[in-house]
RNA sequence: UCCCUAGUAGCUCAGUUGGUUAGAGCGGCGGACUGUUAAUCCGUAGGUCGUAGGUUCAAGUCCUACCUGGGGAGCCA
């Protein structure tokens, strides 16, 4: 008999159908004559209720059906007498594929804290919450490829190991095969990287952008979607040492085209989730609502589904950095001295400032553009004012910066001048400079933190809960 | 890295101004029950109080250091 997935059974199954299912026991409810087994196979958030007549089955067999056990069950579908579900399965044959010792199995049929589940990340997929999160994460990854494919972008695989340390996006993880205690030394006593695997110092990538630009300047529109690494000692709910990033790079796009793409892209992804992940989103929305019951009224956030619909339907506000500083200087918290950090043209905006703009002043996503060149990277297109660059940051409620991007500097002389000012080793970057030497053109791109997107879409509060096996300072378990 | 906060049963927590034998709920186990919805009812086992020092007649409780978790900040995606 062909095995049916529970998703299929619950949507198209009919009473009388004889079927085979396999899955894991969530809960078992016992009474004298009949046992109810809630079986889940991961295909949907819903369980299949398996009904086992106690007179038909060996007591030992029923005894071993605990939370976590894997079962194979054949039986007949029937309209459920209970009110919790349309269909249920009257079991005819139950086989225990793998037992789960109830004394040792950590995922009990009760509410667990996210912290506890994080320590049991290998088993947390078996909970409703993490099942939902990781199904949504998959759907978002798929939607990203779908979106770009439909728009004619090519998926370019930029390298994970890189010798370039010019990006300046953060501390990098060194990649080496040299002996940690006794590396070969140069004459002045330093590790001799000419004898390392690649013959020079190498690192895990912090961004695929520079290589992405090379692809865009031939293929037209490309995107990368892969793991990225930062060796920063940051301990927050929004940072990981290993995370996934989506970086499109487009020839002939100026900053406005770039913003249009970013906005359309984010809305597409949110809509995709609303349409294709409604069961999981509904569960997460309900979960969030329960959690927020303990919070005071003014700290509660919008319902998850409302929030997603709202963002997908509202126009993102687009203002320049200079305008944002003006708004902040005229704001109540500024006048009341309620900001912890100063507001002045030239400073980098702090979380509290971004929060104010997005959550209080505009109450919708905001795209800030044209930042002072001093606080942005060397490759950004310099404006004629000599002070600002064509950067754009997309700010979302609660999570802050979800996208950072810019129009790139395509003029060789300007780029070289800026690199010299910022002490970027131009000679090592000869391949990057070549794009400006040969057939240079206006182009743009941005980076979207995948986990931050998932945070927003799922409403989860900690980035460690939207990646299967988080890597953070002092933590690389599993 | 900085600030705040917590660590007591498998989980979530309570534990009074330091004082006898450390508690509850959930979960587990045993039993009861005519179909349950993280069932209900009765019973039961389960603890080196994060680690190492210190103060004290006496420390889960006070002090110091360290470890780990959580929240916030910085850096950023």
């Amino acid at each position: 008999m062909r095995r049916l997935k529970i998703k299929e059974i619950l949507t198209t199954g009919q009473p009388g159908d004889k079927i085979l299912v396999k899955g894991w026991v969530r809960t078992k409810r016992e009474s004298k004559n009949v046992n109810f087994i809630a079986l889940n196979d991961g295909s949907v958030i819903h369980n299949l209720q398996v009904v086992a007549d106690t007179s038909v089955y060996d007591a030992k067999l029923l005894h071993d059906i605990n939370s976590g056990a894997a079962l194979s069950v054949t039986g007949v579908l029937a309209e459920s007498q209970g009110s919790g579900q349309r269909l249920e399965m009257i079991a005819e044959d139950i086989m225990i594929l793998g037992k789960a010792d109830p004394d040792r199995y950590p995922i009990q049929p009760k509410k667990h804290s996210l912290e506890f589940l994080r320590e049991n990340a290998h088993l947390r997929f078996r909970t409703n919450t993490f099942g939902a999160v990781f199904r949504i994460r998959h759907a978002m990854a798929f939607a990203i490829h779908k979106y770009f494919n439909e728009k004619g972008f090519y998926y370019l695989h930029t390298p994970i190991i890189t010798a370039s340390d010019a990006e300046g996006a953060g501390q990098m993880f060194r990649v080496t095969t040299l002996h940690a205690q006794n590396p070969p030394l140069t004459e002045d006593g330093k590790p001799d990287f000419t004898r390392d695997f690649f013959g020079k110092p190498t690192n895990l990538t912090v961004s695929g952008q520079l290589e992405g630009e090379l692809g865009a300047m031939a293929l037209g529109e490309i995107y990368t979607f892969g793991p990225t690494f930062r060796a920063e000692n940051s301990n927050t709910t929004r940072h990981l040492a290993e995370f996934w990033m989506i970086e499109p790079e487009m020839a002939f796009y100026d900053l406005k085209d770039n913003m249009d793409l970013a906005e359309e892209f984010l809305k597409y992804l949110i809509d995709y989730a609303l349409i294709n992940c409604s069961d999981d989103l509904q569960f997460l929305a309900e979960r969030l609502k329960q959690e927020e019951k303990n919070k005071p009224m003014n700290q509660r956030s919008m319902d998850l589904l409302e929030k997603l619909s709202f963002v997908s339907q509202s126009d993102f506000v687009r203002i320049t950095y200079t305008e944002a500083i003006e708004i902040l200087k005229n704001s109540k918290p500024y006048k009341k001295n309620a900001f912890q950090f100063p507001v002045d043209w030239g400073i980098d905006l702090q979380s509290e400032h971004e929060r104010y703009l997005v959550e209080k002043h505009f109450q919708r996503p905001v795209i800030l553009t044209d930042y002072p060149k001093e606080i942005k990277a060397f490759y950004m297109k310099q404006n004629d004012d000599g002070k600002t660059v064509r950067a754009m940051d997309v700010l979302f409620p609660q999570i802050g910066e979800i996208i950072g991007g810019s129009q790139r500097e395509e003029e060789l002389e300007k780029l070289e001048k800026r690199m010299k000012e910022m002490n970027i080793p131009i000679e090592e970057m000869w391949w990057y400079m070549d794009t400006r030497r040969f057939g240079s053109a206006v182009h743009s791109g941005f980076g979207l933190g995948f986990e931050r997107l998932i945070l927003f879409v799922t409403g989860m509060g900690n980035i460690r809960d939207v990646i299967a096996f988080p890597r953070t300072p002092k933590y690389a378990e599993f």
Side-chain angles (χ1 to χ4, degrees), chain A residues 36 49 79-88:
Chain A
F36 299 97
Q49 172 157 288
E79 273 182 47
S80 183
Q81 296 174 36
S83 58
Q85 55 282 314
R86 178 176 75 91
L87 286 170
E88 64 187 17

Side-chain angles (χ1 to χ4, degrees), chain A residues 13 47 71 82 107 127 130 290 329 349:
Chain A
N47 303 321
L71 303 184
I107 312 297
T127 63
F130 285 95
Q290 295 300 326
K329 287 208 157 184
L349 295 180

Side-chain angles (χ1 to χ4, degrees), chain A residues 91-276:
Chain A
E92 292 179 347
D93 185 43
I94 301 177
M95 201 195 309
I96 298 178
L97 302 174
K99 291 193 234 179
D101 180 352
D103 277 337
R104 297 177 55 208
Y105 183 60
I107 312 297
Q108 304 149 356
K110 59 161 287 184
K111 186 173 162 46
H112 289 292
S113 67
L114 294 174
E115 292 80 16
F116 172 74
L117 291 171
R118 214 170 287 152
E119 288 167 12
N120 291 279
H122 57 311
L123 296 170
R124 66 180 174 170
F125 305 108
R126 299 188 185 190
T127 63
N128 285 331
T129 299
F130 285 95
V133 165
F134 287 105
R135 276 187 296 271
I136 291 171
R137 185 180 164 113
H138 158 79
M140 290 294 89
F142 179 75
I144 285 161
H145 288 300
K146 189 168 184 290
Y147 174 82
F148 283 127
N149 185 56
E150 284 167 1
K151 283 193 89 80
F153 281 56
Y154 297 109
Y155 181 23
L156 183 72
H157 294 101
T158 52
I160 305 294
I161 297 172
T162 169
S164 148
D165 62 351
E167 226 273 334
Q171 284 292 110
M172 296 196 278
F173 289 100
R174 171 65 45 84
V175 173
T176 180
T177 55
L178 294 184
H179 195 279
Q181 272 89 42
N182 304 303
L185 298 178
T186 57
E187 279 174 15
D188 47 354
K190 290 180 179 150
D192 184 0
F193 289 106
T194 63
R195 292 172 65 186
D196 201 351
F197 187 91
F198 294 107
K200 57 164 112 170
T202 48
N203 303 283
L204 294 178
T205 184
V206 292
S207 161
Q209 179 200 315
L210 300 185
E211 291 91 348
E213 286 186 48
L214 311 181
M217 294 308 280
L219 296 165
E221 290 142 326
I222 64 94
Y223 68 106
T224 73
F225 182 6
T228 315
F229 308 87
R230 305 270 166 97
E232 299 285 352
N233 187 14
S234 37
N235 298 284
T236 79
T237 53
R238 298 181 306 283
H239 291 85
L240 292 164
E242 177 183 300
F243 64 100
W244 288 65
M245 191 152 62
I246 299 103
E247 295 177 285
E249 198 68 36
M250 301 77 65
F252 316 120
Y253 275 50
D254 65 12
L255 188 65
K256 179 173 182 305
D257 301 325
N258 203 17
M259 286 191 281
D260 290 345
L261 182 78
E263 183 168 344
E264 184 189 73
F265 177 49
L266 287 169
K267 288 177 174 175
Y268 178 94
L269 296 177
I270 289 167
D271 286 341
Y272 188 91
L274 283 169
I275 292 165
N276 295 282

